[in-house]
Amino acid sequence: MGKVITLLTDFGLKDSYVSEMKGVIYSLLPDVAIVDISHEVRQGDISSASFLLLRAYRYFPRGTVHLVVVDPGVGTSREVLCCRTENYYFIGPDNGVLAPAAENDNLKYIFSLNLEELPVALKEVFSGSFILEKIKTPSSTFHGRDIFAPFACYVSTGSPIIRLAVKKERMVATSLPKPVLTEGGVKGHIIYVDRFGNLVTNINVSLIEKDSEVFLKSGYQVISFGKLKRAYAEVKQGEPLALIGSFGTLEIAVNGGNASEKLNATVGDEVLVMKK
Amino acid sequence: MGKVITLLTDFGLKDSYVSEMKGVIYSLLPDVAIVDISHEVRQGDISSASFLLLRAYRYFPRGTVHLVVVDPGVGTSREVLCCRTENYYFIGPDNGVLAPAAENDNLKYIFSLNLEELPVALKEVFSGSFILEKIKTPSSTFHGRDIFAPFACYVSTGSPIIRLAVKKERMVATSLPKPVLTEGGVKGHIIYVDRFGNLVTNINVSLIEKDSEVFLKSGYQVISFGKLKRAYAEVKQGEPLALIGSFGTLEIAVNGGNASEKLNATVGDEVLVMKK
Amino acid sequence: MGKVITLLTDFGLKDSYVSEMKGVIYSLLPDVAIVDISHEVRQGDISSASFLLLRAYRYFPRGTVHLVVVDPGVGTSREVLCCRTENYYFIGPDNGVLAPAAENDNLKYIFSLNLEELPVALKEVFSGSFILEKIKTPSSTFHGRDIFAPFACYVSTGSPIIRLAVKKERMVATSLPKPVLTEGGVKGHIIYVDRFGNLVTNINVSLIEKDSEVFLKSGYQVISFGKLKRAYAEVKQGEPLALIGSFGTLEIAVNGGNASEKLNATVGDEVLVMKK
């Protein structure tokens, strides 16, 4: 072992899609460890997928290949990318899903896969593999199995990426908003709602001055949460609070409850942090 | 590593059932790789499980043991089978769930497990294993853990199957329908609806003549999809289309949407492909 | 391989939380096998989690580290425990979630983690690991990744637990009820409802005399199930029955159906077994 490939898709776990990707990966790399980041991304939700990748990527061993298949443009001419960063490889479609994580880890090179070279290069590296015959004519709707998975295996071996890809200067940018410094403090947005209904913002702890107060704009309402708390249990059961979440940014939560439902708030809503 | 066992059940992921099977497997085969095909099959839905197995089995390394526990007859006298095919082993109850995949991979032998020989043979191969004592008296409702999982481990080692099973000529046939060639083209059926609402049919690409047109019969309606498309993006967002899916058969989909909901169509509905 | 760490949380699979824990674990122990017991425990449902752990723990190899993060008290002063039992290690918050399993496996020692020693001890055992820098300042809301996961890795290596923890005599007790012997038989409770709607009780098979009859009290109703059956198929489709489940306790089920819905029964309801 030692090598890790992570998977992040919107395929769900009901069907066999994810398992087919894993079958291809184990066929080519019997000793790899495969970790699911999530397969429950909403269909085509590039923004949420890019957030999950940005959160999770850094907790994996150096050299991990992070493979993302949230790919509403499958079958069109959108490109297939591999980003080489300081510590990791990121593989996915050129739709912005890789950008936040790759840039966060000090992006070094962007490669665009040459689809015609892929089967040739695979044959060189994994000569004689049983599986190559089965994926050599890619399905037009499931590049995850037929293109992305074997490409990730190729990259995971450390083989030269330039053999089957060309460098490019730019990729599609992220649609995740950035926080803005204002006179009174910081203005940011909810960028993700987790399973517990916690409202994750893009306002990093480093932007928040001591004793600032937190506000949420939801529809016509402005809700105040007072100062940052340290733990859920600092407020009563069912009460809302603002705290720094495990992503290192401001989060709005309800102790033992669901903030998104209770506050009727969701991705895109504005959050303000006002200096004292 | 190198050895793979796949799991396909209707146990879901909320309870600990699947993990107990994995615990038994790792107890007997510490170096195996376990891949989940799906555990979200609807309770007792043999037909959908057999479809998922048929799709996925071929993407795994030669020698993989595919274990299926969708077993409404657990505790009755239904037999426990191991099918030896050209490249794989298939283990599951004798209820038709293995048939499509095993026959597709050139079925060689069908074995029926002798339940009384199982604990004896396990002791020979995995002598001294801590776990054997715990599963030696099988629960009447959870053969997945107590019978199927250790049987799969035994088979995965390459030990002679005939030691604990008898050959048989026939197994319960599949209930998946087959497409029929008609004067005007091909008549088939929807055999699976995936997480995205895509309608997967049993009409293989090889049966479809160039420029054929596709129709769906749903209730009293007949819906036309025109000719096959190559990719979702060839029609507008929200529009339906027919294309060849990643299983190599005709699928009906909605670009960026849910065809099953939009067309009110589901498993069993008739699909017609008419020659030009 | 050979080493196993199991995970049992209420984090769900939609977000990246579980994957971040796995990333940390593979960073420290590249050759470990990680098995998910469940991540679909209802938020903060300590009782159900403790039941799943009690069911599943025993089917894993000796030396397995069972890690449970169902932790409504995260960020408060609740302690982090490691229970050393006859065959396993159990790690989790001191809220009762470990107690049933640890006591069932002949509890030997209870250790309480010294949070300040953790990063120092990790550095000694996993010197130079890339990941340690990233988790050295634990988030106040996600101890699963920053404290529990690395603690589990430390324990899995067999390093002395006393290096970073102190022994204690007692832990928070379980809230799972115990069955009571009565003059007429046994009185117990439903302690878990599984995905199929099966009603799992705490009445062990060893407490049930031959030919006893089974009753369920649900609201003002008392429902009789007659004597124990051996298999679902002994009653007609849709009919309820009582049998010994795969946990070795009395269960109430509906053949091919959902007993919880059909009988309107759930956790906490009383079950009576009356001697003949």
Side-chain angles (χ1 to χ4, degrees):
Chain A
M1 271 228 199
K3 298 278 190 181
V4 177
I5 293 177
T6 74
L7 303 180
L8 173 55
T9 78
D10 58 0
F11 293 158
L13 294 174
K14 168 185 176 296
D15 305 314
S16 61
Y17 301 125
V18 171
S19 74
E20 294 171 31
M21 292 177 64
K22 292 181 180 176
V24 169
I25 292 170
Y26 279 128
S27 294
L28 298 176
L29 296 177
D31 293 326
V32 82
I34 303 174
V35 177
D36 301 307
I37 291 185
S38 175
H39 301 291
E40 302 296 349
V41 172
R42 219 183 52 227
Q43 187 180 355
D45 185 350
I46 294 167
S47 166
S48 289
S50 73
F51 169 74
L52 291 176
L53 184 67
L54 177 60
R55 259 200 74 111
Y57 85 84
R58 64 196 81 194
Y59 296 102
F60 287 85
R62 205 174 252 140
T64 292
V65 176
H66 294 295
L67 172 52
V68 186
V69 192
V70 176
D71 188 17
V74 63
T76 68
S77 61
R78 65 90 188 86
E79 298 180 26
V80 171
L81 301 185
C82 174
C83 295
R84 178 59 173 129
T85 67
E86 187 167 329
N87 300 293
Y88 301 102
Y89 302 92
F90 295 90
I91 292 179
D94 186 16
N95 60 20
V97 75
L98 305 180
E103 286 162 9
N104 188 264
D105 194 47
N106 191 7
L107 177 59
K108 297 214 179 295
Y109 305 107
I110 306 171
F111 295 93
S112 174
L113 177 65
N114 180 330
L115 285 174
E116 286 172 18
E117 288 300 327
L118 178 65
V120 189
L122 290 173
K123 236 183 204 163
E124 291 165 10
V125 173
F126 305 106
S127 66
S129 174
F130 178 56
I131 206 76
L132 294 180
E133 194 61 26
K134 302 184 180 183
I135 58 175
K136 75 174 179 193
T137 310
S139 144
S140 64
T141 57
F142 191 13
H143 288 185
R145 177 189 71 201
D146 298 337
I147 293 174
F148 286 103
F151 185 27
C153 291
Y154 178 93
V155 168
S156 182
T157 64
S159 303
I161 303 171
I162 200 71
R163 165 69 188 83
L164 76 183
V166 294
K167 279 192 195 171
K168 57 185 285 174
E169 288 303 309
R170 227 172 283 279
M171 58 181 162
V172 172
T174 181
S175 60
L176 282 183
K178 284 197 164 40
V180 179
L181 294 177
T182 65
E183 223 172 287
V186 197
K187 190 177 88 176
H189 291 90
I190 297 173
I191 56 170
Y192 189 77
V193 179
D194 77 6
R195 153 204 223 195
F196 302 110
N198 295 323
L199 306 166
V200 184
T201 78
N202 56 356
I203 302 176
N204 196 278
V205 59
S206 61
L207 300 176
I208 303 178
E209 294 198 10
K210 200 164 169 292
D211 291 331
S212 291
E213 283 194 53
V214 177
F215 300 87
L216 168 69
K217 287 176 73 173
S218 173
Y220 292 103
Q221 282 197 305
V222 176
I223 307 169
S224 167
F225 302 91
K227 295 178 193 170
L228 286 184
K229 306 294 184 296
R230 288 272 312 159
Y232 301 129
E234 282 186 37
V235 301
K236 285 187 202 146
Q237 279 279 325
E239 291 296 308
L241 71 156
L243 80 178
I244 300 302
S246 57
F247 178 51
T249 66
L250 179 66
E251 290 186 23
I252 292 167
V254 164
N255 185 18
N258 185 307
S260 178
E261 285 174 12
K262 175 145 188 150
L263 306 172
N264 194 23
T266 191
V267 169
D269 288 352
E270 211 173 289
V271 175
L272 301 170
V273 178
M274 306 300 284
K275 285 187 280 202
K276 204 181 125 188
Chain B
M1 270 229 200
K3 299 278 190 179
V4 177
I5 294 177
T6 74
L7 303 180
L8 173 55
T9 78
D10 59 0
F11 293 158
L13 294 174
K14 168 184 175 298
D15 306 314
S16 61
Y17 302 125
V18 171
S19 74
E20 295 171 31
M21 292 176 64
K22 292 181 179 176
V24 169
I25 292 171
Y26 280 128
S27 294
L28 298 176
L29 296 176
D31 293 327
V32 82
I34 303 174
V35 177
D36 300 307
I37 291 184
S38 174
H39 300 291
E40 303 295 349
V41 172
R42 219 183 52 228
Q43 187 179 356
D45 185 350
I46 294 167
S47 166
S48 289
S50 73
F51 169 75
L52 291 176
L53 184 67
L54 177 60
R55 258 199 75 109
Y57 85 84
R58 64 196 81 193
Y59 295 102
F60 287 85
R62 206 174 251 140
T64 292
V65 177
H66 294 295
L67 172 53
V68 186
V69 191
V70 176
D71 188 17
V74 62
T76 68
S77 61
R78 65 91 187 85
E79 298 180 26
V80 171
L81 301 184
C82 174
C83 295
R84 179 58 173 132
T85 68
E86 187 168 329
N87 300 292
Y88 301 102
Y89 302 91
F90 295 90
I91 292 179
D94 186 16
N95 60 19
V97 75
L98 305 180
E103 286 162 10
N104 188 265
D105 194 47
N106 192 7
L107 177 60
K108 297 215 179 293
Y109 305 107
I110 306 172
F111 296 93
S112 174
L113 177 65
N114 180 331
L115 285 174
E116 286 172 18
E117 288 300 327
L118 178 64
V120 189
L122 290 173
K123 237 183 203 164
E124 291 166 9
V125 173
F126 305 106
S127 66
S129 175
F130 179 55
I131 206 76
L132 294 180
E133 193 61 26
K134 302 184 180 183
I135 58 175
K136 75 173 180 193
T137 310
S139 145
S140 64
T141 57
F142 191 13
H143 288 185
R145 177 189 70 202
D146 299 336
I147 293 174
F148 287 103
F151 185 27
C153 291
Y154 178 93
V155 168
S156 181
T157 63
S159 303
I161 303 172
I162 200 70
R163 165 69 187 83
L164 76 183
V166 294
K167 280 193 194 170
K168 57 184 286 173
E169 288 302 309
R170 227 173 283 278
M171 59 181 161
V172 172
T174 181
S175 60
L176 282 182
K178 285 197 163 39
V180 179
L181 294 177
T182 64
E183 223 172 286
V186 197
K187 189 177 88 177
H189 290 90
I190 297 173
I191 56 170
Y192 189 76
V193 179
D194 77 6
R195 154 205 222 194
F196 302 110
N198 295 323
L199 306 166
V200 184
T201 78
N202 56 355
I203 302 176
N204 196 277
V205 58
S206 61
L207 300 176
I208 303 178
E209 294 198 10
K210 200 164 169 292
D211 291 332
S212 291
E213 283 194 52
V214 177
F215 301 87
L216 167 69
K217 287 176 73 173
S218 173
Y220 292 102
Q221 282 198 304
V222 176
I223 307 168
S224 167
F225 302 91
K227 294 178 193 170
L228 286 183
K229 306 293 184 295
R230 287 274 311 160
Y232 301 130
E234 282 186 37
V235 301
K236 285 187 202 146
Q237 280 279 324
E239 291 297 308
L241 72 156
L243 79 178
I244 300 302
S246 56
F247 178 52
T249 65
L250 179 65
E251 289 186 23
I252 293 167
V254 164
N255 185 17
N258 185 307
S260 178
E261 286 174 12
K262 175 146 189 150
L263 306 172
N264 194 23
T266 191
V267 169
D269 288 352
E270 211 173 289
V271 175
L272 301 170
V273 178
M274 306 300 284
K275 285 187 280 201
K276 204 181 125 188
Chain C
M1 271 229 199
K3 299 278 190 180
V4 176
I5 293 177
T6 74
L7 303 180
L8 173 56
T9 79
D10 59 359
F11 293 158
L13 294 173
K14 168 185 175 298
D15 306 314
S16 61
Y17 301 125
V18 172
S19 74
E20 295 171 31
M21 292 177 65
K22 292 182 180 177
V24 169
I25 292 171
Y26 280 128
S27 294
L28 298 176
L29 296 177
D31 293 326
V32 82
I34 303 174
V35 177
D36 300 307
I37 291 185
S38 174
H39 300 291
E40 302 296 349
V41 172
R42 219 183 52 228
Q43 187 180 356
D45 185 350
I46 294 167
S47 167
S48 289
S50 73
F51 169 74
L52 291 176
L53 183 67
L54 176 60
R55 258 199 75 110
Y57 85 84
R58 64 196 82 194
Y59 296 102
F60 287 85
R62 205 174 251 140
T64 292
V65 176
H66 294 295
L67 173 52
V68 186
V69 192
V70 177
D71 188 17
V74 63
T76 68
S77 61
R78 64 92 188 85
E79 298 180 26
V80 172
L81 301 185
C82 174
C83 295
R84 178 59 172 131
T85 68
E86 187 167 329
N87 300 292
Y88 301 102
Y89 301 92
F90 295 90
I91 291 179
D94 186 16
N95 60 19
V97 75
L98 305 180
E103 286 162 9
N104 188 264
D105 194 47
N106 191 7
L107 177 60
K108 297 214 180 296
Y109 305 107
I110 306 171
F111 295 93
S112 174
L113 177 66
N114 180 330
L115 285 174
E116 286 172 18
E117 288 300 326
L118 178 64
V120 189
L122 290 173
K123 237 183 203 164
E124 291 165 10
V125 173
F126 305 106
S127 66
S129 174
F130 179 55
I131 206 77
L132 293 180
E133 193 60 27
K134 302 184 180 183
I135 58 175
K136 75 173 180 193
T137 310
S139 144
S140 64
T141 57
F142 191 13
H143 289 185
R145 177 190 70 202
D146 299 337
I147 292 175
F148 286 103
F151 185 27
C153 291
Y154 178 93
V155 169
S156 181
T157 63
S159 303
I161 303 171
I162 200 71
R163 165 69 188 84
L164 76 182
V166 294
K167 280 193 195 170
K168 57 185 286 174
E169 288 302 309
R170 229 172 281 278
M171 58 181 162
V172 172
T174 181
S175 60
L176 282 183
K178 285 196 164 38
V180 179
L181 294 178
T182 65
E183 223 172 286
V186 197
K187 190 177 88 177
H189 291 89
I190 298 173
I191 55 171
Y192 189 76
V193 179
D194 77 6
R195 151 204 225 194
F196 302 110
N198 296 323
L199 306 166
V200 184
T201 78
N202 56 355
I203 302 176
N204 196 277
V205 58
S206 61
L207 300 176
I208 303 178
E209 294 198 10
K210 200 164 170 291
D211 291 331
S212 291
E213 282 194 52
V214 176
F215 301 88
L216 167 69
K217 286 176 73 173
S218 173
Y220 292 103
Q221 282 198 304
V222 176
I223 307 168
S224 167
F225 302 91
K227 295 178 192 168
L228 286 183
K229 305 293 184 296
R230 288 273 312 160
Y232 300 129
E234 282 186 38
V235 300
K236 285 187 202 147
Q237 280 278 326
E239 291 296 308
L241 72 156
L243 80 178
I244 300 302
S246 57
F247 178 52
T249 65
L250 179 66
E251 289 186 23
I252 293 167
V254 164
N255 185 18
N258 185 307
S260 178
E261 286 174 12
K262 175 144 188 151
L263 306 172
N264 194 23
T266 191
V267 170
D269 288 352
E270 210 173 291
V271 175
L272 301 171
V273 178
M274 306 300 284
K275 285 187 280 200
K276 203 181 127 188

